[in-house]
Amino acid sequence: MISPARSRFGWKCCRALGVRRNTAVSESTFSLLQQIQRTHGSEDQGTLQSVAGSVLRVTLPGPVFVGQGLRVREAPAVVLRFDRAGVVAALLASDASPPTAGEVVVPGRSLALQSRQWAAGVTYASVADLLTSEGSPSESLLKLPANPAVPSRRPIRQRLASGLAAAELLLPLGQGHRVGLVGPPGTGKSASLRMLVASQPADTAVVYAAVRSPERLRSEFEALGFSERSAPAVVLCAEPRASAAERYFLVLSALRLATSLRKSHQHVLLAVDDCMNFAEAANELNGAPPVPPAQAVAAMLDTGGNFEDEGAEHALSVAIALDLVPEDELPTTAREVWRGAEPSLDVCLNFSAKLAAHGVLPAIDLDVLLSSAGYPPVYQAPLLGALRKEIRKLLERSKQLNQRLETGRELGFHAETEDLDALGSDTVARALLSHSKPRSLRELAVLACASVVYYFPHHRTPPRSALAGFQAEVLESIRSECPAIWDSLDRLEELKEADVGQLLRELGEPLLARRFHYQLTRGDM
């Protein structure tokens, strides 16, 4: 029913809302005007209707929007969606006692990251401690960052240090690449991702996100020597027992932080461990996350690249770990995430459960990597390019020999001892391209040269301790007995292509001279 506004609510109230003296409005229209004119801090309190785990059903007066921050007691929460029945929200705190129906809910503004200046060095932070419900709509974590325009994209020109022998030799990464580490659990993807992070130069800004305790992450990174830095390195984490909303916003917070650091740093690396945990957390949010995980992962990869802004180039490299096997019949969520991620990946490192079962970790599938490795990129050092050719020959030879022996075994043929010896030696050489800590380029050059020139009289893959001991002994022998060669390898990226052959001969001679000095090359294990 239409009634004069001033007779019902008073002239002063109507004047404050901009309603003229003789204007007639309905009660619903007046209520809407009140909501529009409501200023921050004057919101009425809401009521908690029901609780299901960390998901809440809330009644809120006034305007509501997805991504709005709430307070239940002192615990933060966020609006996921709303309908006529009420508002669905999720608790961000996992250590607080669960609220009960009837408690007061205080609405806030957008859920966003706190504004702060990140100092140089490594900072370990829980994502729940960095969130605030007083952000502006443009700072909302549910607003995915815009991708740079296509005309501003530039070719990949600089090497992205990975510390991984398989990647550095066969398929070197570049600053601005979108890299996927894909494989079943327990194959070394998380360890490889941490080695990638620890290999970055001190002036590279790093954002790393993982569902892990901060104490465990600190000990793992400190063991890799990831400490002194001139640029900020932010390690975001959420406890494994954290709420679904906290684990969900972990990835969105890392994405927002990396895109903000890109404005002030020439190169930023965003590394996200186990995106499938993020997808599982999204499914726990009552089955309706504000941003579907497949869309979030695709948007995160699309932000990567090399760009030009105001005459200067900036690179954002993105590396994600996915616990899935694309060839298997995947669950719906995993299949959608993979379909969203695969088209945006520049490099995909596949990990093999079979290799991991034989003790080869990280279990990077060299045969798959070999099939996807084309011409060497321009930023690969010439000496590593020469070793790359020899490694490719070794891998192709061992692959063909293994296929021939498998076929003969199926047909009932007897395998020649010479073939078994050659396959065993090549298997050990392949295993030497795996390691438990990041390696510098000169260390990788020495180990790659050793795997090519040595013969290993073993039919089975040696234990990881034996492989690690051999790697340490070979590196120490070159470092202590051939200091001139060791110093030359330190300037490996500056080496001219004409000088590669001479340096390889100088490196190969002392290695061959000590070919019987190691237990792994004597065969008496």
Side-chain angles (χ1 to χ4, degrees), residues 275-306:
C275 285
M276 296 313 302
N277 197 310
F278 163 67
E280 293 169 2
N283 286 338
E284 294 176 24
L285 296 177
N286 208 17
V291 180
Q295 180 184 354
V297 172
M300 178 168 54
L301 291 172
D302 289 340
T303 57
N306 195 24

Side-chain angles (χ1 to χ4, degrees), residues 97-218:
S97 58
T100 57
E103 293 194 31
V104 173
V105 178
V106 180
R109 301 177 68 188
S110 295
L111 185 71
L113 284 177
Q114 298 176 8
S115 298
R116 59 181 294 182
Q117 294 293 329
W118 295 98
V122 184
T123 303
Y124 297 87
S126 173
V127 65
D129 297 334
L130 301 181
L131 299 179
T132 176
S133 59
E134 299 302 321
S136 64
S138 61
E139 298 172 335
S140 173
L141 291 177
L142 296 178
K143 183 180 180 181
L144 297 176
N147 297 330
V150 173
S152 67
R153 291 184 178 267
R154 295 294 178 265
I156 306 297
R157 296 189 178 94
Q158 297 188 38
R159 165 181 164 266
L160 172 66
S162 67
L164 301 170
E168 293 285 8
L169 290 168
L170 296 175
L171 195 57
L173 308 180
Q175 293 184 9
H177 269 160
R178 287 82 57 89
V179 185
L181 287 73
V182 182
T187 52
K189 299 184 302 299
S190 297
S192 298
L193 195 63
R194 289 193 295 272
M195 283 192 272
L196 172 66
V197 169
S199 300
Q200 299 310 303
D203 59 349
T204 295
V206 176
V207 179
Y208 175 87
V211 179
R212 238 181 180 92
S213 66
E215 295 79 13
R216 182 176 178 182
L217 284 175
R218 184 187 296 272

Side-chain angles (χ1 to χ4, degrees), residues 37-385:
Q37 294 290 334
R38 181 181 287 123
T39 59
H40 175 60
S42 64
E43 297 91 342
D44 296 330
Q45 295 177 341
T47 306
L48 180 60
Q49 291 182 333
S50 60
V51 182
S54 61
V55 180
L56 315 175
R57 173 69 74 169
V58 179
T59 300
L60 288 177
V64 180
F65 56 91
V66 174
Q68 182 179 10
L70 307 174
R71 282 278 173 183
V72 184
R73 298 178 187 165
E74 290 302 318
V78 60
V79 174
L80 301 179
R81 68 178 190 274
F82 56 89
D83 51 29
R84 293 184 178 181
V87 175
V88 176
L91 279 174
L92 290 169
S94 56
D95 52 354
S97 58
T100 57
E103 293 194 31
V104 173
V105 178
V106 180
R109 301 177 68 188
S110 295
L111 185 71
L113 284 177
Q114 298 176 8
S115 298
R116 59 181 294 182
Q117 294 293 329
W118 295 98
V122 184
T123 303
Y124 297 87
S126 173
V127 65
D129 297 334
L130 301 181
L131 299 179
T132 176
S133 59
E134 299 302 321
S136 64
S138 61
E139 298 172 335
S140 173
L141 291 177
L142 296 178
K143 183 180 180 181
L144 297 176
N147 297 330
V150 173
S152 67
R153 291 184 178 267
R154 295 294 178 265
I156 306 297
R157 296 189 178 94
Q158 297 188 38
R159 165 181 164 266
L160 172 66
S162 67
L164 301 170
E168 293 285 8
L169 290 168
L170 296 175
L171 195 57
L173 308 180
Q175 293 184 9
H177 269 160
R178 287 82 57 89
V179 185
L181 287 73
V182 182
T187 52
K189 299 184 302 299
S190 297
S192 298
L193 195 63
R194 289 193 295 272
M195 283 192 272
L196 172 66
V197 169
S199 300
Q200 299 310 303
D203 59 349
T204 295
V206 176
V207 179
Y208 175 87
V211 179
R212 238 181 180 92
S213 66
E215 295 79 13
R216 182 176 178 182
L217 284 175
R218 184 187 296 272
S219 64
E220 289 171 339
F221 275 118
E222 288 180 351
L224 297 177
F226 188 62
S227 55
E228 299 295 331
R229 304 188 60 78
S230 58
V234 184
V235 179
L236 291 178
C237 58
E239 294 281 355
R241 64 177 184 277
S243 65
E246 185 175 343
R247 289 182 282 122
Y248 174 79
F249 281 101
L250 172 68
V251 173
L252 298 178
S253 300
L255 174 58
R256 174 70 62 169
L257 180 56
T259 53
S260 65
L261 289 175
R262 183 178 58 187
K263 302 174 184 177
S264 55
H265 293 80
Q266 186 177 3
H267 179 222
V268 179
L269 171 64
L270 170 60
V272 178
D273 190 9
D274 192 6
C275 285
M276 296 313 302
N277 197 310
F278 163 67
E280 293 169 2
N283 286 338
E284 294 176 24
L285 296 177
N286 208 17
V291 180
Q295 180 184 354
V297 172
M300 178 168 54
L301 291 172
D302 289 340
T303 57
N306 195 24
F307 315 99
E308 183 176 347
D309 184 19
E310 298 181 355
E313 289 193 5
H314 299 267
L316 173 59
S317 306
V318 182
I320 63 173
L322 294 168
D323 272 344
L324 54 85
V325 181
E327 294 78 15
D328 291 350
E329 186 174 349
L330 300 174
T332 302
T333 302
R335 184 173 65 251
E336 291 176 351
V337 170
W338 175 243
R339 287 177 177 175
E342 184 186 18
S344 299
L345 291 176
D346 298 313
V347 178
C348 184
L349 300 179
N350 290 271
F351 290 71
S352 168
K354 183 178 179 180
L355 289 175
H358 286 86
V360 179
L361 290 171
I364 299 177
D365 195 327
L366 298 179
D367 292 328
V368 176
L369 191 61
L370 180 65
S371 63
S372 59
Y375 292 101
V378 294
Y379 46 81
Q380 186 177 37
L383 187 139
L384 291 181

Side-chain angles (χ1 to χ4, degrees), residues 380-396:
Q380 186 177 37
L383 187 139
L384 291 181
L387 287 172
R388 180 179 187 266
K389 296 178 182 178
E390 300 301 323
I391 293 292
R392 285 178 64 98
K393 292 178 183 177
L394 184 150
L395 296 177
E396 290 171 353

